Amino acid sequence: MTSAPRQSIEAGHYARKQLLCKDRLIAWSHRRRFAMGQWLARDFAGGRVLDYGCGDGAFLAMLMAEESAPVAAVGSELARSVVDDCRARLGAQRGLSFVLDAELDAPEHAAAYDLVVCMEVLEHVVDIEPLLDRFARLLAPSGRLLVSVPVETGLPLVVKQAARRVAGWRGLGDYPGIRPYTASEFCKSVLAGRRQHIPRASVDIGEGAVFPDHKGFNWMTLRDALAQRFQLEKTRASPLAWLPPQLASQVWFFMRLR
């Protein structure tokens, strides 16, 4: 954790379940992902940053506490209850604000952001084209898009499913249940190439919202879709930056408008 309002960050749902998880591997992996995001965003000190799908706001709160903090940061979410919670816990932090997703349609948000961060969101989206249009509208002409998604194929999937299973048994992390793979689905996922390898599975997260979960997500398919719209400048992995994405837990894409 940084010098950000620690208690306010730790009170967030995501922070409690992941960053502060009693399972050391889960906590370490998620903290390393945040650290990679902060490192990639370091060049935007003094700029305007949007975290699209900010969750409990922990990443932005930590980013704004850095010496090289943006001048302003906005977190957006779909659910009013999530936005209200972020505002209550973190809204007093200077330069930090939270809005509903629909509010981003207002003219003042068009071409307003030097960096748009979308971390662990696109794996829950099937039709990403409208969302990519949205990112392009929100970015300033010289802005950058920073996307992080989990690696749910290959050897990482084997390790993750084992860790999730153990964490679920222990009641830790955010894995009260794990959507099962058939033997065929698991083999196809471990051996997946760039094409979608199995049908996506969905989960009801409450409040009438149903989204695809991690099962069947293919980061390589997403990478190709992103490359159709944006110029890919960097690809990084976490929790260990020197690993290739094929052996990592998460992959980061750093892009600019074409």
Side-chain angles (χ1 to χ4, degrees), residues 92-104:
Q93 191 171 352
R94 185 175 181 180
L96 181 58
S97 60
F98 298 92
V99 300
L100 283 167
D101 176 77
E103 295 179 62
L104 294 176

Side-chain angles (χ1 to χ4, degrees), residues 7-193:
Q7 290 183 338
S8 297
I9 293 175
E10 292 180 353
H13 172 78
Y14 180 87
R16 294 197 311 270
K17 292 289 187 179
Q18 307 290 13
L19 298 178
L20 302 173
C21 183
K22 293 180 181 179
D23 185 295
R24 293 183 180 181
L25 179 60
I26 291 174
W28 174 75
S29 176
H30 287 278
R31 288 179 180 177
R32 290 288 297 172
R33 174 158 55 83
F34 271 41
M36 175 60 74
Q38 289 174 276
W39 181 77
L40 288 167
R42 73 194 187 285
D43 292 334
F44 295 88
R48 288 176 54 83
V49 173
L50 170 69
D51 186 357
Y52 191 92
C54 66
D56 65 8
F59 175 73
L60 279 187
M62 294 166 69
L63 182 65
M64 292 299 286
E66 295 291 311
E67 291 185 3
S68 57
V71 68
V74 177
S76 72
E77 266 295 342
L78 290 170
R80 181 171 295 278
S81 59
V82 176
V83 172
D84 289 345
D85 173 68
C86 288
R87 288 172 175 170
R89 289 184 296 103
L90 303 168
Q93 191 171 352
R94 185 175 181 180
L96 181 58
S97 60
F98 298 92
V99 300
L100 283 167
D101 176 77
E103 295 179 62
L104 294 176
D105 292 331
E108 60 264 28
H109 292 283
Y113 296 99
D114 303 294
L115 177 67
V116 172
V117 180
C118 186
M119 185 165 57
E120 309 296 289
V121 171
L122 295 184
E123 67 271 22
H124 301 299
V125 178
V126 174
D127 182 11
I128 69 165
E129 291 302 322
L131 198 49
L132 299 187
D133 289 339
R134 196 168 180 77
F135 293 157
R137 175 183 174 274
L138 294 166
L139 279 170
S142 61
R144 297 295 188 271
L145 174 63
L146 179 59
V147 169
S148 166
V149 290
V151 177
E152 299 289 338
T153 56
L155 181 60
L157 176 63
V158 178
V159 176
K160 283 185 172 185
Q161 283 297 97
R164 288 166 178 161
R165 182 68 65 185
V166 173
W169 288 336
R170 298 173 63 195
L172 301 176
D174 199 16
Y175 311 110
I178 302 170
R179 188 169 295 276
Y181 286 77
T182 66
S184 175
E185 289 173 336
F186 193 73
C187 288
K188 289 178 180 178
S189 299
V190 171
L191 300 173

